[in-house]
Amino acid sequence: MNSPCIPDIGYLDSPEFLSLASHLVTIISTPIHLIGTYCIIMKTPEQMKSAKYYLLNLHFWIIMFDYSFGILTIPLVLFPVIGGHPLGVLRYLGVSTLFQIVFICIAANNMLVSIVAIFESRFNTLCTFHWMKYWRRIRTKWLVVYYFVTMIPFIMFLFLVPDQAAASHYIIEKLPCLPEYIYRADNLILSINFSSHLIIVTLIGIIAASKVVFFGICLTWNIIQQLKAGTMSRKTYRMQRKFFFALVIQMQVPFITMAVPCIYGFISIVALYYNQALTNVCVIACSMHGIISTLVMILIHRPYRESVMKVFKKPVTVLSKEVSKHTFPLKLNSLVPIRN
């Protein structure tokens, strides 16, 4: 289909900008992710040992979500239409656009479930409710079921796709004058009426948030009760409180980077506002979620922060020793009087 007009576009609107920026984010994020993985595996202290593999599991899904945006799919989204086409590696491997969308959704969902799993692990380790023995019998099965059940709604997206021949006219109606490459691209319209998709995503988010709040409240209340009863020392209480608040900050800060693009997408759909440059920036912001999440994890947990800081401080320390070794004799020689 030929474009009937001349669109007013810039470099930020182009797929070249989106691809280049996404690749740069991936290049920068890879060493940061490796450092984060090393910190979790090698530098997790004994008091955090019970949460070690849960942190590693969350870190894995953060990387998968990061790479799903930054290199595997690189979606060129056409808000306010819920559709677009991919620019990433999977496109060249022959993976269908629909399966790429489902892959992103499952990676995001598993990342969300992994957050719930971390708070549940602290709940299981520290709480002393009389009914905890029953919970410990089913917790592993519950977590496995929770992982798979929350993936089912996203798999349903495969069966909610409208007829693409009719949906192609929907793009022309909803979007303004577009560049030729968008008309020629193999665009996929995921939904014409996005209400069902919005309900699914909202429900999954509410369920995950309610579980985190439940485990957090139970954990806080029970630890305070243990402190009052004298079954937990103040030192242990302070340590666990610090770790708990660090976890909360670790989850909340990256969430903001995801919330802003999601809010823009929702406003764009409701207001029928099209701005490809802003949409591309939002996609890049989503791909930066992994960098921010890993950096926050390293900075917020003291053992990880100190181990990374030692690497950067070492060369400075060695240099200062070498300098002092050479300058000290010079100072002594300068004090020796010259004899004729």
Side-chain angles (χ1 to χ4, degrees):
M1 182 184 295
N2 294 322
S3 174
C5 58
I6 300 175
D8 181 18
I9 59 172
Y11 180 65
L12 295 182
D13 301 84
S14 67
E16 290 79 15
F17 163 72
L18 181 59
S19 295
L20 177 61
S22 298
H23 291 150
L24 287 175
V25 169
T26 302
I27 292 170
I28 295 170
S29 67
T30 299
I32 295 174
H33 290 323
L34 290 175
I35 293 171
T37 304
Y38 170 78
C39 287
I40 295 173
I41 296 175
M42 304 300 296
K43 298 299 180 179
T44 301
E46 191 64 29
Q47 61 267 28
M48 292 169 58
K49 191 175 180 180
S50 60
K52 176 179 178 179
Y53 295 105
Y54 292 94
L55 286 171
L56 191 61
N57 178 57
L58 173 61
H59 189 59
F60 170 78
W61 285 112
I62 286 173
I63 294 173
M64 290 302 297
F65 180 76
D66 196 0
Y67 284 178
S68 70
F69 264 93
I71 190 169
L72 295 177
T73 65
I74 313 181
L76 193 146
V77 186
L78 300 174
F79 286 145
V81 175
I82 305 183
H85 60 273
L87 307 170
V89 174
L90 294 181
R91 175 191 181 189
Y92 299 100
L93 295 177
V95 180
S96 70
T97 303
L98 185 56
F99 277 98
Q100 292 184 48
I101 294 171
V102 172
F103 173 72
I104 293 175
C105 292
I106 289 177
N109 173 73
N110 288 355
M111 183 173 62
L112 196 62
V113 175
S114 298
I115 294 173
V116 175
I118 288 179
F119 283 93
E120 189 281 330
S121 72
R122 305 312 300 158
F123 167 78
N124 175 67
T125 302
L126 298 174
C127 286
T128 57
F129 296 110
H130 67 278
W131 45 268
M132 288 300 296
K133 59 181 180 180
Y134 303 109
W135 174 252
R136 291 187 177 105
R137 292 176 188 172
I138 65 168
R139 60 182 296 267
T140 303
K141 296 176 183 177
W142 170 82
L143 194 57
V144 172
V145 171
Y146 182 41
Y147 261 106
F148 285 101
V149 167
T150 52
M151 284 192 286
I152 292 175
F154 294 112
I155 296 174
M156 288 172 57
F157 286 179
L158 297 171
F159 307 99
L160 296 174
V161 179
D163 178 65
Q164 293 302 297
S168 61
H169 297 286
Y170 182 74
I171 297 180
I172 301 173
E173 293 175 1
K174 294 292 182 182
L175 299 182
C177 183
L178 298 173
E180 186 67 25
Y181 67 82
I182 291 182
Y183 290 108
R184 291 198 309 265
D186 186 19
N187 293 299
L188 174 73
I189 307 301
L190 186 63
S191 174
I192 294 177
N193 181 8
F194 74 100
S195 57
S196 57
H197 297 75
L198 182 63
I199 291 171
I200 289 172
V201 173
T202 303
L203 282 176
I204 289 176
I206 291 173
I207 290 171
S210 63
K211 291 180 185 300
V212 169
V213 170
F214 171 77
F215 290 131
I217 291 174
C218 289
L219 188 62
T220 304
W221 188 84
N222 192 253
I223 286 178
I224 292 173
Q225 294 302 312
Q226 291 181 58
L227 183 66
K228 290 180 179 179
T231 55
M232 178 181 287
S233 66
R234 288 197 170 274
K235 182 180 178 181
T236 304
Y237 167 74
R238 286 194 295 268
M239 180 184 64
Q240 295 297 340
R241 185 182 64 178
K242 188 181 295 184
F243 181 44
F244 177 76
F245 284 131
L247 281 177
V248 172
I249 296 172
Q250 181 184 344
M251 306 309 163
Q252 290 297 321
V253 173
F255 173 76
I256 297 172
T257 65
M258 293 292 295
V260 174
C262 289
I263 291 171
Y264 167 76
F266 180 77
I267 293 173
S268 175
I269 293 170
V270 173
L272 297 178
Y273 174 70
Y274 174 77
N275 188 319
Q276 194 61 54
L278 280 178
T279 303
N280 288 348
V281 170
C282 286
V283 171
I284 295 166
C286 288
S287 68
M288 292 181 65
H289 167 267
I291 297 177
I292 297 172
S293 179
T294 305
L295 287 175
V296 169
M297 179 191 72
I298 293 171
L299 294 174
I300 206 70
H301 295 292
R302 184 176 177 181
Y304 301 162
R305 182 176 67 250
E306 290 179 348
S307 64
V308 172
M309 292 301 293
K310 283 179 183 177
V311 175
F312 293 99
K313 285 181 178 179
K314 245 179 192 176
V316 178
T317 306
V318 173
L319 181 62
S320 63
K321 286 181 180 178
E322 291 295 325
V323 171
S324 63
K325 189 189 297 182
H326 292 292
T327 56
F328 186 70
L330 291 174
K331 289 181 180 179
L332 287 177
N333 291 337
S334 65
L335 296 175
V336 177
I338 300 174
R339 295 179 181 179
N340 294 326

